[in-house]
Amino acid sequence: MFNLTAISNDVLYVGASDRRIAKFENAYPVNGMSYNAYLVLDEKTVLLDTCDQAVEHQFFENVEKALDGRPLDYLIINHMEPDHCATLGNILNTYPDARIFGSTQVKRMIGQFFPKLNIDDRFEAAKEGQELNTGKHTFRFLMAPMVHWPETMVTFDLTDGILYSADAFGVFGALSGNLFEDQTHMWRDRPDEARRYYANIVGKFGPQVQNLLKKINALDVQMLCPLHGPVLRGDLTPYLEYYQKWSSYTPEENSVLIVYGSIYGGTENAAEILAAKLAEKGVSDISLYDVSKTHYSRLVSAAFRYRAIVFASVTLDTGLFPPMDFLLSELAHKNLQNRTVGLIENGTWGPMSNKFMTAHLEGMKNITVLDEKVTMKSTVSEDTLTQIQALADSLYAALQN
Ligand code: FEO
């Protein structure tokens, strides 16, 4: 049965949520996932994006009911990734007269994903600033390459002030009836999930997100309709401020994230002692994570949040502990920058982790590695305590600047 929600007088939400999904993109653990699509019922009908295969049945029932016998005149494809476009082929076959608008690269990608589909006489390559009038509404296309794929664009409805923002401003998690953020509070109460989505999905592309923010700031946007998560309305400043911070790699918390990799507990003990010493000095909101027990997407997200990060790792097979090695590779891949870093290494017969962790950090921009590094052998000794105190003092001093 259809399940429609009104966004405004003539705009309907026709998307749906998948609660069976374990990992979004087969990588990120989620508590469900929403795939948003929107249908505008103007003199012409307009569908903005399609949906993931997991919710195909619900999506098609929604579109059919929303159209109520009318033809689909236009399909706007803001983003061609299969979590939105897996159902595209069926939509185009079901509504053969619909004209398609998307960036130039969309056409090539349709050919890759749907090689049997001929759209030559239906596709129109959208240009930056090009407008489409559908009666009451006028839609303007704005390119947003690499937010999150190169073909991505966003569409601004000048009539309602709605920005259909593609992956930008998305959140992990299913929607539960309440479609608007001021009803779900998915950002207000759980910014960790909005940040985790941002850092892992578009975190690598900060400069491109900044370019999109400049375009958004030049518009009179009243509502943000992303492809995942709740619709944002009212005062959009808090959401835009989060995006400004994250995309410029500016930390949110003037505090310390400690991530440790420990085998027999010695490194863990050092990390716990460091956290206690920082707390003793008055540092609040410290976060401490076991790299082996925590999904890397949560650690990437935390790294985007904190101003200072301590990596504490055991040495394994004369190399870096694999979970820590992977995390640091991933942080470099996400272009993490502008952070103060402390290092702790451990090894019973040859502590070498700091060398390998430093090598990862040298590939990142504007990372200040504190001189007060800790080297320990097996367990925390009196000498280790002295080193940890020096690192705590140095971290504290860095947070004061
Ligand atoms: Fe939600 Fe980049 O796809």
Side-chain angles (χ1 to χ4, degrees):
M1 178 57 75
F2 65 87
N3 189 6
L4 298 168
T5 306
I7 300 275
S8 67
N9 286 342
D10 51 7
V11 182
L12 292 167
Y13 177 85
V14 292
S17 287
D18 174 14
R19 285 183 173 71
R20 296 186 177 195
I21 187 172
K23 288 185 176 178
F24 178 65
E25 293 187 358
N26 212 13
Y28 310 110
V30 288
N31 185 18
M33 197 71 196
S34 74
Y35 302 100
N36 302 343
Y38 306 90
L39 189 68
V40 182
L41 298 166
D42 202 357
E43 289 172 26
K44 299 288 186 183
T45 59
V46 188
L47 177 61
L48 290 115
D49 290 291
T50 50
C51 277
D52 188 80
Q53 210 154 29
V55 297
E56 180 169 20
H57 189 75
Q58 180 71 73
F59 170 59
F60 269 80
E61 282 200 293
N62 289 350
V63 172
E64 184 181 4
K65 177 64 181 177
L67 286 171
D68 197 23
R70 294 181 63 185
L72 178 64
D73 296 305
Y74 298 118
L75 169 63
I76 295 173
I77 301 173
N78 285 313
H79 186 21
M80 193 54 213
E81 195 167 1
D83 58 326
H84 309 292
C85 284
T87 51
L88 176 66
N90 283 348
I91 278 285
L92 293 178
N93 287 330
T94 305
Y95 302 100
D97 296 326
R99 289 196 61 75
I100 312 159
F101 286 87
S103 69
T104 310
Q105 296 186 66
V106 162
K107 188 178 183 197
R108 175 174 55 76
M109 290 183 181
I110 290 176
Q112 291 169 203
F113 285 112
F114 304 99
K116 292 179 183 168
L117 203 61
N118 184 347
I119 56 160
D120 287 351
D121 58 348
R122 304 172 67 183
F123 183 84
E124 185 167 338
K127 295 172 187 63
E128 174 74 20
Q130 181 183 342
E131 293 183 357
L132 170 68
N133 182 271
T134 59
K136 193 181 100 183
H137 293 261
T138 300
F139 297 91
R140 183 183 294 166
F141 305 125
L142 301 164
M143 300 303 129
M146 302 318 297
V147 189
H148 150 229
W149 275 15
E151 89 299 354
T152 307
M153 68 175 194
V154 300
T155 300
F156 183 57
D157 178 350
L158 284 85
T159 310
D160 282 351
I162 298 178
L163 183 74
Y164 297 93
S165 61
D167 273 347
F169 301 98
V171 183
F172 287 141
L175 291 172
S176 302
N178 294 127
L179 182 59
F180 296 96
E181 202 286 328
D182 52 60
Q183 301 166 329
T184 70
H185 304 134
M186 284 172 79
W187 281 69
R188 192 195 70 179
D189 295 346
R190 288 164 277 162
D192 284 353
E193 282 301 83
R195 187 189 307 102
R196 187 165 71 94
Y197 172 93
Y198 175 87
N200 288 279
I201 303 302
V202 284
K204 180 177 177 62
F205 306 112
Q208 291 87 348
V209 174
Q210 291 262 302
N211 288 339
L212 175 58
L213 287 177
K214 282 184 200 134
K215 293 183 185 183
I216 292 174
N217 288 332
L219 301 169
D220 182 18
V221 179
Q222 301 297 314
M223 196 182 289
L224 287 163
C225 287
L227 289 175
H228 305 285
V231 170
L232 312 175
R233 66 182 176 184
D235 181 8
L236 301 175
T237 310
Y239 315 114
L240 292 168
E241 283 180 351
Y242 270 124
Y243 260 57
Q244 178 59 33
K245 272 192 180 163
W246 296 336
S247 60
S248 59
Y249 304 94
T250 304
E252 290 168 60
E253 295 285 345
N254 193 37
S255 184
V256 184
L257 164 69
I258 305 170
V259 185
Y260 67 87
S262 186
I263 297 176
Y264 295 112
T267 314
E268 179 179 16
N269 186 215
E272 295 274 8
I273 291 168
L274 174 65
K277 287 190 179 299
L278 287 167
E280 204 173 71
K281 293 178 81 65
V283 179
S284 56
D285 295 314
I286 301 161
S287 273
L288 182 64
Y289 291 101
D290 181 340
V291 74
S292 299
K293 299 264 292 184
T294 313
H295 193 271
Y296 74 89
S297 65
R298 300 189 194 287
L299 299 175
V300 167
S301 177
F304 269 67
R305 181 180 176 199
Y306 281 91
R307 182 175 170 196
I309 308 171
V310 175
F311 300 100
S313 182
V314 69
T315 309
L316 184 71
D317 292 339
T318 68
L320 188 55
F321 189 50
M324 187 62 81
D325 197 33
F326 178 75
L327 173 64
L328 282 159
S329 295
E330 192 60 16
L331 291 174
H333 186 65
K334 297 299 185 195
N335 277 333
L336 183 73
Q337 46 197 275
N338 308 328
R339 296 300 189 270
T340 296
V341 168
L343 294 176
I344 299 175
E345 65 180 354
N346 191 6
T348 296
W349 43 271
M352 299 171 69
S353 313
N354 283 354
K355 182 179 92 173
F356 297 116
M357 293 194 286
T358 301
H360 277 296
L361 295 162
E362 282 172 352
M364 304 183 203
K365 281 186 202 160
N366 197 21
I367 298 290
T368 304
V369 179
L370 298 174
D371 290 335
E372 293 76 12
K373 300 182 184 76
V374 175
T375 296
M376 57 185 283
K377 288 195 168 181
S378 308
T379 58
V380 175
S381 65
E382 286 298 327
D383 174 59
T384 316
L385 277 183
T386 304
Q387 293 182 58
I388 293 172
Q389 185 64 58
L391 176 56
D393 292 344
S394 183
L395 283 163
Y396 182 76
L399 295 180
Q400 307 314 304
N401 292 329

